[in-house]
Amino acid sequence: MELIKKYFGNLTETQLEQFSKLQELYQDWNLKINVVSRKDIDELYLRHVLHSLGIAKVMEFKAGAKVMDVGTGGGFPGIPLAILFPETQFHLVDSIGKKIKVVNEVAEGLGLQNVKTTHGRVEEVDDTYDFIVSRAVAQMETFHRWVKNKVHKKQNHALKNGILYLKGGDLTEELANFPKATIYDLPDFFEEDFFETKKVVHLPMKYKG
């Protein structure tokens, strides 16, 4: 929890309370439905919460924006971002039902009003968003194909509408076919060793109506 306060200093009392509840909620639900490894549960704030918030160091979502989190798993990066941006609407999608069950329970336990979920494949989602976020659920080429028709036409943010993707390692080959992609290195924002090779990739996408 101190990690979150270290990098995000202007949190409201509500946000502080919500972030502090995450550990207990995930520990409780992880005993019933294993969505986070035991090692990661012990380092939840570093490996999951702060990592998710790396996207917030690249993009500050505006009130009324719509963001879809694809392959959210146990709710990352969607849940931490939803706490940080309470005026932004988040749609968390995963094809595994038990994971969405945990997300629903955590969101309810935190009192989040800006989160909705879908148990299903992203290709079946019929809506458009300002941004699509995720944590390395597939190679960029595959991910781009999944979400290519799901971006809003109207631009409201400093970065163009599109994908904000948490990835790690050398992305030269993976992004070779995406010359418009911009890589943001998380060590520029966070000093912990965990982030040494971690990145946020922004890939603008054109609206296809």
Side-chain angles (χ1 to χ4, degrees), residues 96-125:
I96 299 172
K98 68 179 184 179
K99 293 185 176 180
I100 286 297
K101 177 177 173 57
V102 172
V103 172
N104 285 332
E105 295 293 343
V106 170
E108 188 177 325
L110 296 172
L112 292 173
Q113 302 295 311
N114 59 332
V115 170
K116 74 171 186 175
T117 62
T118 293
H119 169 215
R121 295 169 59 82
V122 63
E123 297 96 323
E124 297 159 4
V125 174

Side-chain angles (χ1 to χ4, degrees), residues 6-7 50 186-196:
K6 175 179 174 181
Y7 292 109
L50 192 59
L186 286 182
D188 290 347
F189 309 106
F190 304 138
E191 64 184 16
E192 286 71 22
D193 291 344
F194 173 75
F195 296 105
E196 189 178 343

